[in-house]
Amino acid sequence: MKNFNNRFALLGKDFYTSLAPQGLPDPYMVCVSRAMADALGLNDEWMASNEALQIFAGNIAPQGSQPLASVYSGHQFGVWAGQLGDGRALLLGELETANGNFEIQLKGAGRTPYSRMGDGRAVLRSSVREFLCSEAMHGLGIPTTRALAVVGSDMLARRETNETTAVVTRVAPSFIRFGHFEHFAYRGENEQLKTLADYVIERYYPECKQATNPYAALLAAVSNRTATMAAAWQAVGFCHGVMNTDNMSILGLTIDYGPFQFLDGFNPAHICNHSDEQGRYAYNRQPNIAYWNLFCLGQALMPLIEQVEGDSDAAQATAIKALEGFKIEFPTALQAKMQAKLGLPNAIDGDKILIEDVLKLLAKERTDYTIFWRQLSNSVATNNFEPVRNLFIDRATFDIWLGQYQRRLQTNGSWGSPAHAACSDLMLRNNPKFILRNHLAQTAIERAQGKANDVKDFSEAARLLKVLETPFEEHADCEDLAGFPPDWASHLEISCSS
Ligand code: AMP
Ligand code: MG
């Protein structure tokens, strides 16, 4: 791993602090994403080398890298939190690859000037969760930061209990967050704010340069990407858990996997983060929160928008208009996703109600969200609706919906016709069989920790990764990873502590 360039570092000292990673003693490789390594042009032999292990443990900085912790601020749980920053993440630099440029970041490689009360470390539990979920989201086709590797160590960190530590290597075109913009805006540092915005536009949103107001165009583009991401979350039943503005990517990527959860039974008001007492980040509030966060980004960009517009009233109006895109893009994207889940490529009158009605049924019975959609897909493929029907207690009510749905499906072609087969294919490509349920992650983590018989076993994490990378495929030998959650799963408490 060489040929780093460090374009973020060129922004200047106001944006970061340079510092070397503090590594892990006696590291061992826990997880590797071969797909990610491939995309970066890193071969298996090198990934298995001691050099790779030491780099991903933070023990040596790769040639040409320029490790730095960036500074950002943000709103946490709706309240201005002031300066935050990379408290335990270090950007090594950027690799130029055949598949584009990727920044490489180590998470958990020691304290930085932005660590505040934290120890700069990440525990194995949260690192494996972040690694698996990054790759799972990518497999689901949801915009996300990626993960290359997890390296573990027996060194302990204090959380609710003592836990072993790890470093997760994250990969993304950029790790810039809404909070980076808020940081300079709050401090009235408009020059730095402009430098940052120009950098992001130049590198990631070049089409905005042509707009009358490039900064408003940036806000509109980020709003659209965030809407697409939020729609994908809702459709798959993903709860992020900590949608603070410092956890919102300027590229509309899912970032900072902490207390996230995929829904088991469908409960729209589900709160996955045990630290979120008010339910600010409940599943059904995510779209509104995404919009609220975009509003914060809009506020941060106001000085730049105003510089172009010339007066504050015009700037306000322009910014509001830029944000409006979310209100169109989110419902449009969600509707398209739900249509695909139902195997109905072209929306017609009544489809919206069909979707609303089935979600009401799922909510009433807390039906398993993922299993329902996959069973429905299989039922449409085989024309046998008994297995999906059996998921419901109130079958009479389900039958009413099913009748309406079957009549609607018929308009696309009857069973056995190519048009009908296209519908079931669409469903099987949009309703995953495998998601990263909490209990699956927990089992893989406990094996990796060596909890059962004192032997660290990383094979369960690898097996899980394999199905999550291609979650729409059958993987007939992994049925145990596609079932209902066991009773103990509902007692797992996932908090911000990581
Ligand atoms: P999060 O809620 O994980 O997105 O983190 C919020 C802020 O706390 C960020 O600035 C993190 O870098 C910082 N942080 C979280 N955990 C730690 C830790 N163990 N050590 C240092 N900083 C941390
Ligand atoms: Mg964060």
Side-chain angles (χ1 to χ4, degrees):
M1 192 156 61
K2 34 188 180 283
N3 303 326
F4 272 97
N5 65 39
N6 297 280
R7 286 171 73 174
F8 185 86
L10 295 176
L11 291 178
K13 292 291 175 203
D14 293 334
F15 294 82
Y16 61 88
T17 304
S18 294
L19 81 165
Q22 295 143 47
L24 295 176
D26 304 317
Y28 38 84
M29 195 63 89
V30 177
C31 304
V32 171
S33 164
R34 305 268 284 276
M36 188 70 254
D38 262 358
L40 294 172
L42 305 171
N43 64 39
D44 288 357
E45 194 189 340
W46 186 79
M47 288 302 292
S49 70
N50 187 52
E51 185 190 7
L53 179 64
Q54 299 302 337
I55 287 174
F56 300 138
N59 289 332
I60 50 175
Q63 197 186 332
S65 67
Q66 204 171 308
L68 62 86
S70 74
V71 63
Y72 55 81
S73 296
H75 285 84
Q76 297 186 316
F77 291 90
V79 179
W80 178 245
Q83 183 184 301
L84 302 164
D86 293 326
R88 53 175 172 167
L90 280 187
L91 178 66
L92 295 180
E94 188 178 328
L95 285 179
E96 282 180 40
T97 80
N99 301 299
N101 285 21
F102 291 102
E103 288 187 350
I104 310 290
Q105 202 185 57
L106 301 181
K107 182 169 175 181
R111 286 183 56 84
T112 78
Y114 316 113
S115 298
R116 297 174 296 150
M117 308 299 279
D119 57 7
R121 296 297 176 184
V123 297
L124 182 68
R125 169 177 52 84
S126 68
S127 303
V128 169
R129 278 173 55 85
E130 169 140 26
F131 172 90
L132 288 174
C133 200
S134 306
E135 294 306 279
M137 294 293 263
H138 180 70
L140 290 164
I142 301 175
T144 179
T145 63
R146 301 282 306 273
L148 175 61
V150 175
V151 167
S153 164
D154 289 348
M155 188 179 86
L156 298 176
R158 183 84 200 154
R159 296 295 182 264
E160 278 89 0
T161 59
N162 280 331
E163 293 190 50
T164 61
T165 44
V167 171
V168 53
T169 301
R170 305 198 291 192
V171 181
S174 170
F175 287 95
I176 295 176
R177 301 143 190 273
F178 291 9
H180 281 95
F181 290 87
E182 291 180 281
H183 180 73
F184 297 106
Y186 182 81
R187 292 156 64 122
E189 296 177 352
N190 289 350
E191 213 171 293
Q192 288 87 336
L193 183 65
K194 185 172 183 313
T195 301
L196 183 66
D198 289 342
Y199 172 79
V200 167
I201 289 172
E202 178 69 37
R203 296 222 45 202
Y204 307 107
Y205 293 93
E207 66 282 5
C208 293
K209 275 194 289 188
Q210 273 80 48
T212 323
N213 191 327
Y215 308 108
L218 173 64
L219 181 59
V222 177
S223 299
N224 280 342
R225 285 207 203 173
T226 305
T228 310
M229 174 189 78
W233 288 2
Q234 298 309 108
V236 81
F238 175 79
C239 306
H240 181 281
V242 213
M243 290 176 72
N244 294 333
T245 57
D246 55 303
N247 290 338
M248 297 294 290
S249 149
I250 201 71
L251 300 185
L253 306 172
T254 316
I255 191 171
D256 276 13
Y257 293 94
F260 69 84
Q261 187 180 3
F262 286 84
L263 295 178
D264 291 314
F266 186 63
N267 172 10
H270 183 70
I271 304 162
C272 63
N273 178 354
H274 281 254
S275 318
D276 181 9
E277 277 147 28
Q278 310 294 319
R280 178 177 173 85
Y281 298 137
Y283 167 75
N284 59 2
R285 298 197 65 193
Q286 294 188 127
N288 281 341
I289 294 291
Y291 186 73
W292 192 92
N293 289 342
L294 284 162
F295 200 87
C296 291
L297 178 67
Q299 291 257 277
L301 288 170
M302 274 314 270
L304 304 181
I305 295 174
E306 194 173 322
Q307 271 172 24
V308 178
E309 296 295 322
D311 82 271
S312 71
D313 285 350
Q316 286 273 355
T318 306
I320 296 287
K321 200 163 149 241
L323 289 168
E324 284 297 303
F326 183 92
K327 292 188 188 162
I328 299 159
E329 183 57 26
F330 174 76
T332 308
L334 183 58
Q335 170 83 11
K337 293 256 172 216
M338 298 313 287
Q339 294 276 151
K341 287 175 88 67
L342 281 169
L344 305 171
N346 309 308
I348 61 168
D349 274 356
D351 283 357
K352 258 194 180 149
I353 295 171
L354 204 60
I355 294 165
E356 277 168 23
D357 285 352
V358 76
L359 291 178
K360 269 187 216 150
L361 271 178
L362 298 180
K364 194 176 109 202
E365 297 213 3
R366 297 281 190 266
T367 315
D368 189 278
Y369 188 69
T370 302
I371 291 178
F372 166 75
W373 287 107
R374 189 72 183 184
Q375 288 276 19
L376 188 68
S377 315
N378 286 327
S379 297
V380 171
T382 58
N383 204 26
N384 170 15
F385 288 84
E386 271 319 292
V388 70
R389 202 171 165 262
N390 288 340
L391 293 173
F392 293 88
I393 299 163
D394 179 359
R395 288 182 195 157
T397 309
F398 178 70
D399 284 343
I400 295 171
W401 180 82
L402 185 61
Q404 289 163 350
Y405 173 57
Q406 285 174 319
R407 277 192 292 283
R408 171 66 178 92
L409 264 183
Q410 284 285 334
T411 64
N412 277 343
S414 48
W415 191 71
S417 71
H420 186 278
C423 290
S424 60
D425 280 354
L426 181 67
M427 295 177 81
L428 289 165
R429 280 184 281 116
N430 282 278
N431 294 310
K433 178 168 177 179
F434 299 95
I435 50 160
L436 182 60
R437 295 184 194 260
N438 271 345
H439 75 279
L440 297 176
Q442 189 63 22
T443 303
I445 289 161
E446 286 177 14
R447 296 266 182 90
Q449 289 168 328
K451 281 220 166 132
N453 47 8
D454 251 11
V455 182
K456 297 185 178 78
D457 173 6
F458 309 134
S459 64
E460 185 63 10
R463 190 170 80 98
L464 197 46
L465 173 64
K466 202 178 113 224
V467 299
L468 295 172
E469 282 177 334
T470 48
F472 301 102
E473 285 175 19
E474 278 301 313
H475 301 282
D477 53 338
C478 294
E479 284 302 324
D480 60 312
L481 302 178
F484 289 99
D487 284 344
W488 61 264
S490 57
H491 306 304
L492 281 170
E493 294 215 342
I494 308 294
S495 71
C496 277
S497 136
S498 62

